[in-house]
Amino acid sequence: MKHYQIVIVGAGFSGLCLGIKLKQAGIEDFVILEKAADLGGTWRDNTYPGAECDIPSALYSYSFEHNDQWEYKWSGQKQILKYQHDTAEKYGLMGHIQFAEEVSGAEFDERDKLWRIATVQGRQLTAQHFVTAVGQLHHPATPHIDDAQNYAGVCFHSARWDHTVNLDGKRVAVIGNAASAVQFIPEIAERVKQLTVFQRSPNWMLPKLDRPYAAWEQRLSSKFPLLTRIYRFSIWMLGEWVVLPAIRGNRFARWAVKKVCLGNLHKYVKDPELRNKLTPDYPVGAKRILFCETYYPALLRENVSLELAQIDRFTEHGLRTVDGRELSFDVVIYATGFKTNPFLAPMKITGTEGRLLSDIWRDGAHAYLGVSTHGFPNMHMLYGPNTNLGHSSIIIMAEAQANYVVQAVTRLKQEHKRVMDVKQSVEQAYNTELQSRLADMAFNLVDESWYKDGNKITNNWAGGTREYVRRLKHIDWSGYHTA
Ligand code: NAP
């Protein structure tokens, strides 16, 4: 059985980041197990038309890997995936990634003080450190709709776009209207015969102000990377100093963000009735704030309609709404997001005394700093519980977590110790503080969103990125049992 110092699960932005940091620290004894045939995580899986990042690339990229070749301010999926490939190649990571290896479970062996890891493909391996880097948005959520088996048309989820289906001239229904939907609806609206968007709740939407970079800007960025750093800093500031305060309930920031969103809406939608349908009744930031200027114009097209009636069931030829109308569709596209809870499912993870992580997290996932959870020694999480953001780039968080893990691995080795386990009291105190801060934030003002597991906010961080990076900069070893 092959043994590694570190086994990382997932070759998306976080897993790659940790691989790079380990190599930079001179640690080569690690493997990244990736269930798919390619790296990239969400940027490999989401290939729907118009897929792009809703954080500008200058910020949504590694701080240590400047790219002066971004084509657009907000890059498309293909270019982001290329950036991930190029970066993995540049830092010599490809040899560390094993593709088509899906981790089914991991169990901590208390006697040998190591993790025993198994893959769906039947592989068994052991590791001193077990690191999950599986992202939060990778299991498409497809809501149950009655009689789906009776529908004779085609159905697929936006995150598993079926490129073999030609939408030209088709009657198409889209269920959902959030971050993914507003990106592909404008793209397909021009091609389809009829498009019906089923909206359950509208979204706050800021203008995107995207444009291609001019060749001279790329040259300038290449010659003076400092300029791009300044630009990166300005985008970061906007998130931290305007959007985050709005999410925290600062009245002025909330008013300002709302005003810009409403300005975006009023600019395109003149009909007060439609405007009313597109105006959220929940506070700004409670769900992800979207960036888009093409969605509203798409809704104004002759062949596009916005449907507020909820879906009752599938029929043979389409969907029936709860008010009894039967609508015919050739294709139904679910843009219904991702199943984010339970965290780390379906991996079966067993810690000390045979305790299952799924049991420990029965009432919602929790972790100290989003990285460690008591009873699971030497298990570290990247993009773990309460580390998602509504206002900035997740890559900042991933870098902080990767640095933390490298520190942990290095220090244990230096001190000839084998295990670290966060103290239960420390994790509990941290989570009490976190949840009390989250209770005052906009995320808490809606009953349901992918940020929550029941009533508990399990996905989002409560502060700014600067605070998070600071708290992870040096491990407070007094919070851990080591042996
Ligand atoms: P989402 O934000 O979870 O939105 C799902 C949509 O489907 C919502 O409109 C939701 O309505 C609707 N919906 C869910 N279940 C439904 C049901 N049973 N019946 C009717 N409607 C239903 O999913 P997403 O748009 O895929 O985005 C998920 C996250 O991925 C985003 O928040 C963002 O963080 C990330 N993302 C990022 C980018 C990017 O550019 N970086 C692009 C796409 C996605 P309600 O609002 O009423 O629940």
Side-chain angles (χ1 to χ4, degrees):
M1 195 181 299
K2 182 93 178 136
H3 177 81
Y4 293 93
Q5 189 179 4
I6 304 131
V7 165
I8 303 166
V9 190
F13 259 116
S14 309
L16 296 176
C17 183
L18 178 57
I20 294 167
K21 301 263 177 194
L22 287 169
K23 283 180 84 78
Q24 287 175 335
I27 300 165
E28 292 286 339
D29 186 14
F30 70 93
V31 65
I32 304 177
L33 301 178
E34 168 55 57
K35 69 177 177 185
D38 191 10
L39 54 77
T42 197
W43 298 106
R44 174 201 60 228
D45 291 343
N46 284 271
T47 61
Y48 58 78
E52 58 185 30
C53 189
D54 58 5
I55 301 285
S57 297
L59 189 61
Y60 192 85
S61 48
Y62 297 124
S63 63
F64 54 83
E65 188 52 32
H66 171 70
N67 181 16
D68 49 49
Q69 290 305 306
W70 293 122
E71 285 166 21
Y72 282 83
K73 291 204 157 202
W74 315 64
S75 294
Q77 171 262 340
K78 281 199 178 111
Q79 210 188 4
I80 299 171
L81 189 57
K82 180 177 180 315
Y83 172 80
Q84 291 175 303
H85 270 278
D86 291 349
T87 308
E89 294 275 0
K90 177 176 169 181
Y91 288 88
L93 277 188
M94 296 310 284
H96 287 272
I97 308 174
Q98 294 179 8
F99 294 104
E101 290 286 2
E102 180 175 357
V103 172
S104 51
E107 185 170 359
F108 186 69
D109 181 327
E110 288 185 68
R111 200 197 57 185
D112 294 342
K113 307 260 182 290
L114 48 74
W115 281 92
R116 298 193 177 277
I117 298 148
T119 72
V120 171
Q121 290 72 17
R123 196 127 166 251
Q124 308 265 350
L125 50 167
T126 57
Q128 184 187 359
H129 297 271
F130 173 61
V131 185
T132 59
V134 295
Q136 292 190 3
L137 300 160
H138 65 299
H139 295 301
T142 308
H144 170 82
I145 299 175
D146 284 346
D147 295 342
Q149 72 284 358
N150 295 344
Y151 177 52
V154 178
C155 270
F156 57 83
H157 191 283
S158 63
R160 298 288 180 273
W161 195 270
D162 187 343
H163 292 277
T164 63
V165 178
N166 182 1
L167 296 177
D168 292 357
K170 300 273 171 34
R171 295 160 306 171
V172 178
V174 174
I175 307 176
N177 57 303
S180 302
V182 300
Q183 291 185 345
F184 73 76
I185 284 171
E187 299 286 321
I188 65 170
E190 295 168 4
R191 297 161 41 197
V192 302
K193 182 174 172 201
Q194 171 63 37
L195 180 62
T196 305
V197 180
F198 284 88
Q199 170 185 293
R200 197 164 61 176
S201 33
N203 295 288
W204 291 109
M205 207 176 306
L206 289 165
K208 195 162 191 177
L209 308 174
D210 195 11
R211 67 167 175 82
Y213 280 115
W216 66 265
E217 286 175 306
Q218 290 176 331
R219 280 197 300 275
L220 209 63
S221 168
S222 158
K223 250 190 142 145
F224 305 106
L226 179 66
L227 287 180
T228 319
R229 290 208 153 271
I230 294 169
Y231 176 53
R232 179 182 167 100
F233 180 69
S234 69
I235 305 165
W236 174 83
M237 253 178 20
L238 213 62
E240 297 285 318
W241 294 0
V242 180
V243 183
L244 179 61
I247 296 173
R248 278 181 166 157
N250 175 291
R251 281 167 63 184
F252 176 71
R254 199 170 267 184
W255 169 83
V257 175
K258 201 169 154 178
K259 192 161 171 58
V260 182
C261 289
L262 290 175
N264 191 28
L265 175 63
H266 282 232
K267 180 174 170 190
Y268 296 105
V269 183
K270 304 295 174 200
D271 171 13
E273 198 184 326
L274 180 59
R275 235 168 22 207
N276 204 26
K277 290 179 182 172
L278 293 168
T279 306
D281 61 0
Y282 57 83
V284 154
K287 296 187 196 182
R288 188 166 180 91
I289 301 168
L290 309 184
F291 290 85
C292 191
E293 285 137 322
T294 50
Y295 177 65
Y296 294 140
L299 287 183
L300 300 179
R301 292 175 61 91
E302 287 280 302
N303 65 334
V304 179
S305 57
L306 184 68
E307 183 59 66
L308 265 53
Q310 295 311 297
I311 297 164
D312 175 34
R313 60 186 58 246
F314 271 99
T315 61
E316 185 184 351
H317 299 294
L319 293 163
R320 191 161 78 199
T321 54
V322 286
D323 53 11
R325 282 172 298 133
E326 293 205 358
L327 308 171
S328 297
F329 299 111
D330 305 304
V331 182
V332 173
I333 304 173
Y334 289 97
T336 41
F338 300 86
K339 195 166 161 38
T340 54
N341 281 293
F343 256 78
L344 302 186
M347 285 187 288
K348 183 180 174 196
I349 300 175
T350 314
T352 52
E353 294 166 23
R355 281 175 298 202
L356 280 175
L357 188 62
S358 52
D359 287 342
I360 306 283
W361 284 355
R362 197 179 296 115
D363 298 326
H366 50 80
Y368 174 58
L369 298 170
V371 178
S372 323
T373 193
H374 174 70
F376 295 80
N378 290 7
M379 171 175 154
H380 317 285
M381 288 167 273
L382 306 182
Y383 201 3
N386 293 109
T387 58
N388 183 58
L389 301 171
H391 73 282
S392 192
S393 169
I394 197 63
I395 295 178
I396 300 174
M397 309 292 271
E399 283 188 31
Q401 292 149 8
N403 286 332
Y404 194 87
V405 175
V406 173
Q407 248 188 83
V409 169
T410 314
R411 168 89 176 248
L412 281 193
K413 188 160 188 197
Q414 277 167 357
E415 299 198 347
H416 305 290
K417 288 186 169 163
R418 283 207 58 82
V419 284
M420 59 189 283
D421 188 11
V422 68
K423 292 177 183 166
Q424 192 167 22
S425 56
V426 169
E427 186 184 351
Q428 259 168 11
Y430 171 79
N431 273 290
T432 305
E433 174 218 330
L434 187 76
Q435 289 299 331
S436 108
R437 287 171 65 183
L438 283 165
D440 293 333
M441 295 179 76
F443 309 136
N444 202 26
L445 299 174
V446 280
D447 292 338
E448 237 185 87
S449 78
W450 70 262
Y451 299 157
K452 297 175 104 177
D453 186 359
N455 285 329
K456 186 175 169 191
I457 299 166
T458 48
N459 290 61
N460 284 15
W461 165 237
T465 57
R466 202 166 42 172
E467 179 196 342
Y468 188 76
V469 172
R470 181 176 48 73
R471 289 178 81 158
L472 269 76
K473 200 169 172 125
H474 302 291
I475 299 181
D476 177 1
W477 288 94
S478 68
Y480 286 87
H481 295 291
T482 56

